[in-house]
Amino acid sequence: MPSELSDLVSDTTPGRGALRPARSWLHSDAPSLSLNGSWRFRLSPTASAAEDFAAEDFDDRGWDDMAVPSHWVLEGDGAYGRPIYTNVQFPFPIDPPYVPGENPTGDYRRRFELPAGWTDAERVVLRFDGVESLFRVWVNGVEAGSASGSRLAHEFDVTPMVRPGGNVVAVRAHQWSAASYVEDQDQWWLPGIFRDVTLLARPVAGIEDLWLRTGFDSGRGHIDPEVVADAAAFPLTLRIPELGIEQVWATAADVAPLDVAEVAPWSAERPRLYEATVSNAAETITQRVGFRTVEIRGDQFLVNGRRVVFHGVNRHETHPERGRVFDEEHAREDLALMKRFNVNAIRTSHYPPHPRLLDLADELGFWVVLECDLETHGFHKVDWARNPSDDPAWREAYLDRVRRTVERDKNHPSIVIWSLGNEAGTGSNLAAMSSWVHARDAGRPVHYEGDHAGEYTDVYSRMYASVPETEAIGTDGSRVPLLNCTPAQGARQRTKPFLLCEYAHAMGNGPGAFDQYEALVREHPRLHGGFVWEWRDHGILAKAPDGTLYYAYGGDFGEVVHDGNFVMDGMVLSDDTPTPSLHEFKAVVQPVTFSFEGDKVAVTNLRHSADTSDLRFRWRVEHDGTLVECGELETPVVAAGASEWVPLPPVAVAPDAETWLTVEAVLAAGTAWAPEGHVVATAQLDRSVHRPVPAVRIRPDWQADTGRLTLGVAEFADGSLVRLAGRAVSGPRLELFRAPTDNDEGASDEVDDGDAAVPGVSNADLWRRDGLHRLTSRRVGVERAGDALRTLDKVSAADSALFVMVESVWTLDGGELELRVEIEPSSGWRTVWPRVGIRLSLPDGTAPVDGAEWFGLGPLESYPDSLRAVYTGRFSSSVRDLAVDYARPQETGHRSELRELSLTSGGTEVLRVVALPDTRGRRPGFVLSRHTPQEIAGAGHPYELPASGTTHLHIDAAQHGLGSRACGPDVRPDFALRPESRTLRLRISAPR
């Protein structure tokens, strides 16, 4: 054992002392005592503080109180240090296995009474379910041992150290250790005892470990039990009352597989569990059993003989106040929210979660890729030199991590794949991990994305592959080279099931193109879906200097190195609010689809194995967004993978309004995760009569004019609009800029050939280069023709010869005011535009514009490559609720396909706008905001936005797509906004 403290924190040995072998996290009736609660705590700036604190008689009255479980950097309002966020970077020098002497070290002490009767236990075990990163344990002044592996369970045999009556347990936790080099996951560094601490009384003749492997085939189940127990523990009895099973094992030799007739299978859709017990006179283990068989057949990943499509998310354990401290109520609601949004799979990025989460996954139903606590991403900066993954000195640490991962969680039917870890390069230690897993559990395949050549894993996995690359992977006979593969290796990888272990980086506003990936999965059976990065933002609740609460990200705690807001990349905001991207995901992956043909609709069930008997179907008809009829759609039960044609109800088509038929699949009864009537899937059919767009009136009699006039509700001075419907107004001005999204700021090399994007340079930088955020205008001319006004403006930016000509024509025709804007760019533009449209600014006056009612797509925001979650209808919202509170302010709130818009103040209409389609049938969108794009772009957090006395209305002829370039591909070419001529036609009126 190393004698020097510096040797301890830099030693790669995973554990010492009375550390026990890994085993299952079991539900046992053997006595236990939770040591959660208030501990005495002292923080030292280095790891060299005296160890006398472990003595029984040490006086800790001058110490603070610290909750266990917790992270010390989230307690005491900074008194114990601050969180650090990095994605790839190490927050210490890259000098493995050494860490700095400035190593915050937390000392914990707690007194406890050994319960009466525990002196009869065969062993007393002290279990820690999670401590970051290296910790040492003493009981009554005697050192029990040390361990590393922050998200792994460790048990110490403290039998010779405890005594009847009062006892003292002491723990020293070091923030940094050699283990930190292999725990460089994309998350906050949060030291401390953050999971449960439990004292266990292991009974004489107890059951040390249990594994009830299961299988399922054609209605029959199979149980292959493994029991670890001394001979004195026998006889043991396995009971599954629902199945009539009572199997007695007189000796260890009697423990043998058994077949079970007529069982219901477990799946993520119908997670059927049977309660089993294994017991003797000393102990009863309760285990919920799910029958399922996992296999790979050719390039197909199958459960119970059917192909699985993963509509999954990467899930970190994170909470804005508790960090990674587990809260079962919050976790249950977290998983229920996933189910409500059609998420069927979880990758536990990038470590095993609290074990109770997996109980919930078994119960609610998820396909789980269970990942080992391993990532060495920071070595990427030094071209993987000295990477532990290929260093024999780290072999035992790697094997210990995967053993503790598999052994703890092996009983869960929800786990269908083991993953070795994430972004740790490649090397012999990873291959050794895979070999151990294959030997230990032949019933689940092994995943690791970094094994690009497929040397030691069973599935082919990639992260952030573009749509064309994903298509090439899935296409039989494709010879497109695969990343880091020789042709032979690529051919081998194409014989395996393919997973996108990370895709569609959900950072800020975005991502786009969910539907394109899903279309490929449905077309190419080798593609088995994937896992969105990621489920939720990791914001930490903090307080601004003025007292405003906000969600902090990297850099907000004064970190020396950090990765900014890259930790805010979830489909759920830090406050549990689903983002529009989660709604988009739900719509794209919905398990039931509808295809309309004539007066029929094909209802297709895309589920893995469940039929539609749990659903009912309903319809409604709306005229210009107003409900006129609704009812139930009589639909037969549709088997998994099947389709049924269903007659549609007669639809009353309006001659002078748009007619829309909407059909929905909803839950017929409440479930553990959603109430009756919850919408599972939806689709719309446009039954409108085509109505021609009124032609533009051509005027030949334009004359130069001063531009001071009134046209209906509009008043002009010098050709510029100054009042509208009695309200002060400025504009309309050309707007080409949007506050860059996180994807706009992304600078990845993932761009399509022929696209306007530049590899390695963000679109936002190109927009700033071209001055789109600081356009100026020069009035070229003002003309009038009776009841019409025309202005011509040349819009450009300082230090640029590029420009846009904007012709605005105001016409009063039959008392109706129309604005037509013709936008014509000069030649020479070399990049995409973020938007093209106009902005009207409406100062508050006595009645600020604070709401909107519209007919168009809604109710959520939408963009060209993210339109599946919205539908045509009539909606209303406050200005505030039109926007999404992304952690870093950015473009938000765009509503597409606008027909009519009413601006309101205090619920009263103050202005009405009707949008006409252009000659190609394209309709504009709108954004209503209290801040300009320039103001939004200048703020790093919502509280930094300036006070506003104006509401800004944007009417966009078009917006650029969202893409996933914050980490992944750019906007696909079909959704990129290239500089081009555009027309806007608006009819504006006062309240009716």
Side-chain angles (χ1 to χ4, degrees), residues 466-468 513 516 752 755 865 963 969-976 978:
S466 66
V467 170
Q516 295 190 314
D752 285 283
D755 202 353
D865 52 356
D970 197 10
V971 175
R972 299 284 296 133
D974 290 350
F975 308 112
R978 292 170 176 78

Side-chain angles (χ1 to χ4, degrees), residues 802-879:
L802 302 172
F803 62 90
V804 179
M805 299 304 300
V806 180
E807 180 189 45
S808 301
V809 179
W810 297 85
T811 304
L812 191 63
D813 190 355
E816 189 170 43
L817 180 67
E818 178 174 314
L819 167 63
R820 177 170 54 87
V821 182
E822 301 285 354
I823 301 167
E824 180 72 34
S826 68
S827 61
W829 291 93
R830 293 175 293 156
T831 185
V832 294
W833 280 348
R835 72 181 341 141
V836 54
I838 58 172
R839 167 156 56 97
L840 287 162
S841 298
L842 301 151
D844 287 349
T846 58
V849 172
D850 57 12
E853 299 175 358
W854 74 99
F855 176 38
L857 291 185
L860 304 166
E861 67 181 24
S862 55
Y863 293 83
D865 52 356
S866 184
L867 286 166
R868 296 284 291 276
V870 292
Y871 59 93
T872 302
R874 197 168 289 276
F875 311 97
S876 63
S877 173
S878 68
V879 171

Side-chain angles (χ1 to χ4, degrees), residues 276-347:
T277 59
V278 175
S279 62
N280 60 14
E283 183 176 20
T284 297
I285 303 293
T286 302
Q287 180 70 44
R288 293 188 300 182
V289 174
F291 291 90
R292 54 100 185 103
T293 294
V294 179
E295 63 179 321
I296 291 176
R297 194 181 301 161
D299 63 357
Q300 301 288 287
F301 178 86
L302 310 175
V303 174
N304 298 335
R306 295 184 65 87
R307 171 178 175 254
V308 171
V309 174
F310 295 95
H311 294 134
V313 295
N314 283 273
R315 182 190 182 273
H316 270 287
E317 290 190 317
T318 182
H319 185 276
E321 297 175 85
R322 297 187 298 271
R324 284 188 285 278
V325 175
F326 185 74
D327 179 307
E328 183 162 334
E329 182 180 353
H330 186 261
R332 179 180 287 276
E333 176 52 33
D334 213 33
L335 268 59
L337 187 65
M338 291 183 189
K339 296 288 286 190
R340 293 197 292 272
F341 281 87
N342 292 334
V343 174
N344 71 1
I346 300 169
R347 178 180 178 226

Side-chain angles (χ1 to χ4, degrees), residues 31 188 247 346 443 556 611 665 702 707 713 801 865 956:
W188 295 96
Q247 176 72 47
I346 300 169
D556 287 337
D611 62 28
W702 294 107
V713 298
D865 52 356
D956 293 320

